[in-house]
Amino acid sequence: MAANARLLLWLLLLSTSSSSLCFGSDLDITCLKTLKQSVVDPNGILESSWNFDTTTNGFICQFIGVECWNPNDSRVLALHLSNLGLEGQFPRGLEYCESLFTLDLSNNRFSGPIPSDITRQVTYLTFLDLSYNSFSGKIPVGICNMDLNVINIQHNQLIGQIPPQFDGLLQLTSLNVADNQLSGLIPSSLSKFPASNFSRNQGLCGPPLEDCGNANKLSLLLDMIDDESIIGAAVGFVVGFVAAFYFPHLFVFSQRLHPYVYRIC
Ligand SMILES: *[C@@H]1O[C@H](CO)[C@@H](O)[C@H](O)[C@H]1NC(C)=O
Ligand SMILES: *[C@@H]1O[C@H](CO)[C@@H](O)[C@H](O)[C@H]1NC(C)=O
């Protein structure tokens, strides 16, 4: 009884302190509305399935491609939007889907950059599949600040290096960057992935692909020095390191507590 009362109190606390996270679905609805408005949908699939007129409990969980944590509680766990003929830029509004763990936009006609603030937009993502689209520009370094288990960006038009910060993605179990225009040295921790998952990029080298030639190395170095994001990242790393040294508890909290906050409620 006492334990139950305590649990209840705790749930109450949780619900008031982070209502949007646990029970509120308004943000998730905003997320899907914004997404729908921001993409081009020539086949009218979202147009017909994503209907915001009826608002029964958990109605968005019936939409094509939307998976909720619980059918009656519209917190979106996953968006499976593969193969719907969608076009336009990387969808907007995802930051309102605060419990999103899986994002699959594969096999569409999305174009333009992968947003550089992708970490802010989809903070808790563990699965990201953008394969078979026309995304262009560089791979944003921010991708390395997420806890991603799966990254698939095969068959796009991405250029530049695979950011060296990929070495920090220890929990990465599946990676595919094949069929892009990437160049430079493959970060060493990625050598465990099969060569075929790096293939058909003209300038990529190093294990599991062939060694970078010496001439190549110099141009790589110049490339790196030229790349201001590397310098920014180096400064960030030092600041982060100092912060982690002096305030280790902050890091333990942000890393460990978030998943539990989600799973509990
Ligand atoms: C969802 O709501 C319906 C009707 O309100 C109820 O019958 C059902 O048990 C609920 N399901 C869950 C998983 O809570
Ligand atoms: C290699 O790529 C395939 C196809 O995208 C993927 O299913 C697989 O998990 C990748 N392998 C590894 C070890 O990452």
Side-chain angles (χ1 to χ4, degrees):
M1 188 67 199
N4 276 344
R6 225 179 304 138
L7 181 68
L8 199 67
L9 185 68
W10 189 63
L11 282 176
L12 217 64
L13 271 173
L14 262 181
S15 72
T16 49
S17 67
S18 53
S19 57
S20 66
L21 208 89
C22 292
F23 301 105
S25 53
D26 289 357
L27 277 179
D28 290 81
I29 294 170
T30 304
C31 166
L32 300 186
K33 274 187 181 163
T34 314
L35 188 153
K36 180 181 170 183
Q37 280 162 11
S38 76
V39 304
V40 182
D41 175 24
N43 303 336
I45 292 173
L46 302 188
E47 188 51 42
S48 56
S49 163
W50 289 25
N51 180 348
F52 294 93
D53 297 338
T54 47
T55 54
T56 49
N57 247 1
F59 73 105
I60 60 172
C61 308
Q62 312 297 321
F63 290 0
I64 281 183
V66 176
E67 184 186 345
C68 294
W69 285 83
N70 174 311
N72 285 353
D73 153 19
S74 323
R75 283 180 309 139
V76 178
L77 164 68
L79 287 172
H80 307 282
L81 303 178
S82 183
N83 253 313
L84 300 181
L86 301 175
E87 300 175 11
Q89 304 253 319
F90 189 89
R92 283 187 289 109
L94 292 172
E95 67 269 28
Y96 299 115
C97 279
E98 290 188 325
S99 316
L100 188 68
F101 275 57
T102 293
L103 178 62
D104 182 359
L105 301 178
S106 63
N107 285 287
N108 285 293
R109 287 186 217 108
F110 286 111
S111 55
I114 302 173
S116 58
D117 65 343
I118 187 165
T119 320
R120 184 187 63 80
Q121 296 192 31
V122 284
T123 310
Y124 303 106
L125 222 56
T126 58
F127 180 104
L128 177 65
D129 191 346
L130 304 178
S131 63
Y132 292 90
N133 281 286
S134 298
F135 286 113
S136 56
K138 293 187 171 187
I139 302 173
V141 173
I143 276 191
C144 308
N145 296 331
M146 297 193 269
D147 279 332
L148 287 164
N149 301 130
V150 175
I151 300 179
N152 192 347
I153 49 177
Q154 182 183 7
H155 203 282
N156 280 281
Q157 290 155 30
L158 298 165
I159 58 166
Q161 283 192 294
I162 302 175
Q165 291 87 340
F166 265 68
D167 275 337
L169 283 172
L170 302 176
Q171 67 293 345
L172 196 63
T173 52
S174 175
L175 174 73
N176 196 328
V177 302
D179 304 309
N180 280 286
Q181 290 140 44
L182 298 169
S183 57
L185 184 63
I186 296 172
S188 59
S189 72
L190 304 184
S191 62
K192 66 182 177 194
F193 294 105
S196 58
N197 288 22
F198 296 91
S199 55
R200 295 174 301 280
N201 281 285
Q202 245 170 3
L204 274 186
C205 59
L209 302 180
E210 297 194 349
D211 263 7
C212 307
N214 273 334
N216 225 337
K217 273 184 191 146
L218 182 62
S219 75
L220 278 176
L221 190 66
L222 291 175
D223 245 25
M224 276 172 74
I225 292 168
D226 197 35
D227 189 346
E228 60 209 347
S229 68
I230 301 277
I231 294 165
V235 172
F237 180 79
V238 171
V239 170
F241 191 83
V242 170
F245 188 80
Y246 284 104
F247 309 106
H249 53 288
L250 289 184
F251 286 76
V252 171
F253 267 87
S254 62
Q255 287 282 322
R256 300 260 174 266
L257 200 60
H258 275 301
Y260 287 113
V261 167
Y262 280 107
R263 270 159 211 153
I264 287 160
C265 47

